[in-house]
Structure formats: C-alpha cells, structure tokens
Amino acid sequence: MKVAIYARYSSDNQRDASIADQLRMCRLQAEKQGWQIVEEYSDHAISGSSLLRPGIQALISDATRGRFDLILAEAMDRLSRDQEDIAGIFKRMSYADVKIVTLSEGEVTHLHVGLKGTMNALFLKDLADKTRRGQRGRVEAGKSGGGNAYGYDVVRKLDVNGEPVRGDRTINETQANVVRRIFRDYAAGKSAKTIAFALNRDGIAAPFGGAWGFSTINGNPKRGNGILNNEMYVGKIVWNRQRFIKDPDTGKRQARPNPEEDWVIQEAPELRILDDALWQAVKTRQARNRIAPDAKGQPDVARVNTRRRPKYLFSGLTRCACCGGGYSMISATLIGCSTARNKGTCDNRVNLRRDELESRVLNALRTRMLDPKIFAAFCDAYTREINRLRMEARAHIDAAQAEIGRIDREVQKLMDLYLKDALSVDDVKECGDRLRARKAELTSFLATTDEPPPLLHPAMAQHYRQRVQQLYETLQDDSEERRTEAAEVIRSLVEDIVLTPVEGKVEIDVRGDLAGILTIAAQRKNPAAGKATGSQVKMVAGAGFEPAAFRL
C-alpha cells in the first residue's frame, strides 16, 4: 500500500514543530500497518478554510495521477475545515480510487465528511465570532481593534498573569509629523500626487515601506482608509466599518461595507494627532473635489461619475520593464508609466500612442505569432495530447460498461449454481453483495462522468489561422457590439505586454496564450470541444522576432 502523508498547521497559536509532530505520528501508524510512504506534503501557517495551499494542491494533483493509494493525516481538519472543500477532496479521491485515513477518525467515509465537515465549519464560524467579540471589547475599552495605523506604535507589555496586553497604541512623533505635513499641504491646495512626490523626494518611507502613492494618501472616504480619512488622528477609533467575505472561487477576501448603525465609535483623546480645524479643512476640500460645480455653480455629480479613464483594448495588460508598474492613459492619445507619474520613483518618461500600441500587438497576433513553422509543431503536439486525454476518458467509460456486463453474467452464474445446489445461500449472498456493490460503484461513475467530446481534427492549425484572421477583421468592424466581443477574446489571449524604453524608442514584448486561441478555434468547429483542457503553451512575440519598436 503506497501512502502519502499530509500535515498542516494554521497561524493560531501553533508552531513549526506541530508539522514535525504530525508527520512523526503518521509515520508510526504507516510503519505499524506495513505501508510504504512515497511522499510527505505539508502547509505551514496557512488556514484550513481555503484550498489555496501549495501542499494540498500538490497532494491532490499527485493523487489524481495515481502516485499513491492512500492519504494519511492526523485528522480531517488538517486537510480542510471547509465543508465544501472537504467534500470535494473526498469526491476527487474516491474517483481516483485513493482512500483517506486519519489517526482520529480512521478511514474517512461519507458519514465522516457530512458530520465532521459540519463541525469544522461551525468551529470556523465560532472562532470568527469570538475574534470579533474580543476586538469589539478592546475598541469599547479605548484600544485598537486590530492592526496598526501610520503614526502610531504598538505597545507591547504583559499583564499580571504574564499574558500579552493587546490593543494599546502610542503616538510615533516622527510619523505624526509626516501626517500633519500631509494634512497641511492638502488643506493648502496641493494634490495627493504632488504630496506623494515631495515625500518620495525627501526619502520618507510610506506606511508599508517603499514609495508613497496618491492612493495611499487619498484612500477611500466611504471605507475610512487612506491617510486623509483616518479618524484616529482626531482621537476617534471607528471599528466595524466593513466585513470581509471569502470569495468561494478565488479564496480571496472581499470587503463589504456595514451599515453605519453597526459601527462602533470610541473616543481616544490620547491618540489625537490633529486639531479639529485642520481636519475640517481637509474634509471640506475633499467634499468640494467629490462634487464639482457645473457652469452654473451647481454640484455636477453626473460629470464627476463620468471622469474615469477611458478603457482601451489592452488596458491592465501593459507594464513597464523598468519598474514593473502598469502603463495608463496620460492624455487622450498617449500612455505612459504610472509609477513615473504618480510616485516619481521610475525614470521611464517615454510615452507612446495608444493606437500605435494596439496596431503593433494586433499585427503580432495576426502575423508573427502565426509563423507556419512554429504552429506546424505546436498544433500537432496540442492535437495529439488532447486526443490522447479524450481517448483515455473514453477507455475508462468503455471499461466500466464492459465490467458491468461481466458482473451481470457472474450474477446469473451464481443463480445457476445455487439452483443446482452447488452453492449455499450464504455463499450466494456474500458473492452477490460484493458484485452488487461493485456494480453500484460503476453505475455511479458512469452517471457522473461526462461523455468525452469528439477527437480534434489533425488540420487544427489551419482552423487556428482562420480564427485569428477573423478576430483581427472583426476588430476593424465599425459595429461596437462585434468589436467589443472580439476585443474580449483578444484580451483573453494576451498575458501581458512589456514596454521597454530604448534610446527614445519603445520595444514591445507580447506574451500570449497560444493554446487558448487554439481552443477557441476548436469550439468554433465543434462546440463540445470547449470542455477539454490541455497544456497551456506560452510564446513571447519578441524573442525570436524583431522587437516592435518605433520612434515617438
């Protein structure tokens, strides 16, 4: 029996030794059972509420490839504390014919998944409720609810029992002077960008180190973040402005605002850095900037709502080779390095026209990335791999159907032997139960397995070229609807566009997902083919080609 061991500890009151302890106990159990350990997987200081863990992902991947027959862990909650995730792991392992055994529960069954999964989910909710209750208690006592703000230091001390006292803060005078400087400059009419430039020029570190940006200063007034919106600077602790909900698809936390009546506001005069007059001057200017007057002097909210940077074909995909920052629109026609203009910490001041960038990249997709020699090899390998996977899926289905036929024949033979008094009732029952269980397992597999799509045609490269050409022509269409649809497809094929200034010119490296458009071509020829997944092949349109460079 080939076994894989998994161990994990979260960041709540545990340590690296916990991993070693879990692995040691699992090794002893494997040795006792005579199992062969083929691999050990672990995740350090990562919560079990998400599957976005390198160790568990590697475990699942190796299990589906048949590297081992059994997973051994200390308890189910080491694998996951999320109901949906533990059920998904169990389902995948059942399909891969890999058993899950824990030191606490023994062999994991559907019953364990249901009951323990619910208990683990309740544990997470209870832990979150207790944490928030503790944070609220600290805020109502005039202490910080968690984290730290720029301008303050965390006070580290112990109570009479030797336990750490949490939530105490003291003013950091050096940072407090920077806060006062920011508020005075903003009240005097300077923009957040100008203030950030000056701070970076004077070598003053931002709250998390590195360089200041205008967003660090402006923040979001509704959420109360950013230097200009932190009410702690006037001696008020505001807690529970927002809550965080985990996205079930990405595992990332998303902030959701709470109604104002749920906020907890506590006076903390000992933490005041600013006087009320300066605070109000800044709030007045912020309000004036948010609601700009129209020609008649009336608030023009609609105009403010439309003052957004125009979206272009490759927005969000372009980045500067010098600093790694993004490129953005700096005028109606030009794009430039955002870091250079917003923070002043990048020396790249070379701009280029947006329409020139789009033209170069589209031509790279249409011509340079369709080099016949490249795609003759690429499309052949892609087609062979996809067809191999589909034939394997078809073979598993055919094997299951054939085995069900054999089981039916075996059952009939049992009945014939029983009628001839060649077998006892107990023998027939034992064999029959085993055959029925196996048949039920195979029937379930067939019921939950999708029919594999037809094989790809060997001439997929030609369909690929036609599809790229059609996408390019659609982008030249005057119809906004068709152009928008084609633009979304093109954007999905470009990973990023790196712009490098070289002697007054800009070299453009386009990195794209070639397998992605090949899949699009397959869908066009046969919609069912879209269900297949294949290896993603990346190509740089720059390496091996002349770089796209032009004068400004």
Side-chain angles (χ1 to χ4, degrees), residues 71-350:
I71 296 171
L72 181 61
E74 182 185 49
M76 277 178 56
D77 59 10
R78 297 302 88 196
L79 294 170
S80 178
R81 288 189 182 274
D82 184 271
Q83 266 184 300
E84 182 180 4
D85 289 344
I86 192 65
I89 293 173
F90 182 77
K91 185 176 181 179
R92 289 187 180 92
M93 296 305 101
S94 296
Y95 178 74
D97 201 21
V98 175
K99 295 180 179 180
I100 301 176
V101 175
T102 69
L103 303 182
S104 299
E105 295 90 7
E107 183 173 345
V108 175
T109 65
H110 286 89
L111 184 63
H112 291 100
V113 171
L115 293 179
K116 293 286 289 188
T118 301
M119 291 172 63
N120 289 333
L122 291 174
F123 169 81
L124 286 177
K125 184 178 183 305
D126 183 58
L127 180 63
D129 291 342
K130 288 179 179 177
T131 301
R132 291 182 63 80
R133 186 165 65 246
Q135 290 175 335
R136 182 176 189 128
R138 289 202 297 271
V139 171
E140 291 177 344
K143 301 175 183 290
S144 172
N148 192 28
Y150 186 78
Y152 302 95
D153 291 326
V154 177
V155 177
R156 304 186 184 280
K157 60 182 181 180
L158 303 177
D159 60 16
V160 293
N161 297 319
E163 296 293 328
V165 177
R166 305 182 187 278
D168 285 334
R169 300 289 183 266
T170 186
I171 295 175
N172 181 316
E173 284 300 332
T174 301
Q175 295 181 359
N177 287 331
V178 176
V179 171
R180 297 185 187 104
R181 169 181 170 175
I182 292 172
F183 272 79
R184 283 195 301 267
D185 288 348
Y186 189 84
K190 293 183 180 180
S191 69
K193 183 186 293 186
T194 301
I195 297 172
F197 266 66
L199 293 172
N200 291 330
R201 185 176 59 248
D202 294 343
I204 298 174
F208 296 102
W212 288 85
F214 68 89
S215 60
T216 306
I217 296 172
N218 274 333
N220 186 322
K222 289 186 177 180
R223 294 186 175 180
N225 55 30
I227 296 294
L228 296 178
N229 306 304
N230 190 345
E231 294 187 65
M232 192 179 292
Y233 296 145
V234 289
K236 286 185 179 180
I237 299 176
V238 182
W239 180 78
N240 204 36
R241 281 180 180 268
Q242 59 189 14
R243 65 192 185 279
F244 290 92
I245 298 178
K246 187 165 291 186
D247 187 323
D249 295 324
T250 65
K252 296 182 179 179
R253 298 198 311 163
Q254 301 292 330
R256 301 281 177 84
N258 287 329
E260 194 167 345
E261 57 267 22
D262 291 345
W263 297 1
V264 177
I265 303 176
Q266 183 67 35
E267 297 290 337
E270 70 279 5
L271 298 179
R272 177 184 284 271
I273 290 176
L274 306 171
D275 58 56
D276 289 332
L278 183 55
W279 175 266
Q280 288 303 326
V282 168
K283 295 294 111 178
T284 300
R285 187 182 172 209
Q286 282 182 317
R288 188 167 60 247
N289 289 344
R290 285 197 298 272
I291 308 178
D294 60 14
K296 297 180 180 180
Q298 299 297 318
D300 187 0
V301 179
R303 189 174 69 188
V304 176
N305 290 338
T306 57
R307 287 189 305 174
R308 294 182 178 179
R309 293 177 179 175
K311 292 288 185 181
Y312 62 98
L313 181 58
F314 297 116
S315 61
L317 300 176
T318 51
R319 62 184 179 88
C320 173
C322 299
C323 67
Y327 263 65
S328 59
M329 298 299 297
I330 60 173
S331 72
T333 59
L334 295 177
I335 64 172
C337 175
S338 302
T339 304
R341 281 149 186 82
N342 295 334
K343 298 182 178 181
T345 55
C346 179
D347 296 329
N348 179 12
R349 293 284 177 171
V350 181

